[in-house]
Amino acid sequence: MKILVLNGPNLNLLGQREPSVYGSVRLEDINESLLFMAGELDVDLDFYQSNHEGALLDKLHAAIDECAAVIFNPGAFTHYSYALRDAVAAIGIPVIEVHLSNIHAREEFRHHSVIAPVAAGQIVGLGPQGYILALQAAVALARDAVFAGAEGTE
Ligand code: DQA
């Protein structure tokens, strides 16, 4: 089973970007701890980060055939990208939305996520730990889907 870990704009700058908001942990560090957890859970991970909406759309589309679930931090696209929202709704696999910061405690424009209504769930404000929790949730959701499918064929 493979899980896609998808990060949107500016998340490549984690560690040096506004450390008072996002902390000092780099995206590579987060990915390393995800790899460790993936080993424990016996799943494979595919990591992808892009600053381009179209590239994120293409990766979500490719996940239909390749992945059982997606962990997605859409960055600022969270708040206005109807195209990414439609892709999340279209792909038919669980997508867990993650934000390092508590978007509800920040500027007004960050309080709304256009992704949330079509995501399987949302984890906000827990820093890098949110990605680990999202991986556990993604695997549980994907495995449930496999069980549900298997029950249907019995
Ligand atoms: C973010 C929150 C967004 O509002 C912001 O634009 C980001 C990061 C987060 O992880 O807290 O780029 O998604």
Side-chain angles (χ1 to χ4, degrees):
M1 176 184 291
K2 193 194 280 185
I3 311 281
L4 171 63
V5 182
L6 190 58
N7 281 286
N10 299 308
L11 291 160
N12 55 311
L13 296 181
L14 277 183
Q16 62 186 88
R17 169 194 187 198
E18 299 183 83
S20 60
V21 178
Y22 298 113
S24 55
V25 174
R26 299 168 309 156
L27 191 55
E28 302 87 78
D29 303 324
I30 292 175
N31 290 349
E32 208 172 297
S33 42
L34 282 171
L35 271 181
F36 177 79
M37 179 57 72
E40 301 285 301
L41 294 169
D42 196 24
V43 295
D44 294 324
L45 298 181
D46 182 11
F47 296 106
Y48 189 75
Q49 187 277 329
S50 178
N51 296 318
H52 305 279
E53 190 178 24
L56 295 167
L57 286 167
D58 289 343
K59 198 67 188 175
L60 283 169
H61 294 178
I64 295 175
D65 295 325
E66 293 170 9
C67 297
V70 182
I71 297 167
F72 189 20
N73 184 344
F77 286 140
T78 304
H79 313 298
Y80 64 91
S81 175
Y82 297 125
L84 286 172
R85 174 204 169 106
D86 284 353
V88 168
I91 60 176
I93 54 176
V95 176
I96 318 272
E97 178 184 348
V98 176
H99 300 286
L100 293 147
S101 64
N102 181 355
I103 54 175
H104 305 290
R106 299 182 62 197
E107 302 96 320
E108 187 81 35
F109 76 90
R110 294 186 206 275
H111 296 181
H112 184 64
S113 165
V114 299
I115 308 295
V118 291
Q122 189 193 48
I123 299 174
V124 308
L126 301 179
Q129 181 67 24
Y131 285 85
I132 300 290
L133 295 170
L135 177 56
Q136 291 170 331
V139 171
L141 288 173
R143 288 200 169 133
D144 267 351
V146 170
F147 288 137
E151 275 164 23
T153 57
E154 268 169 13

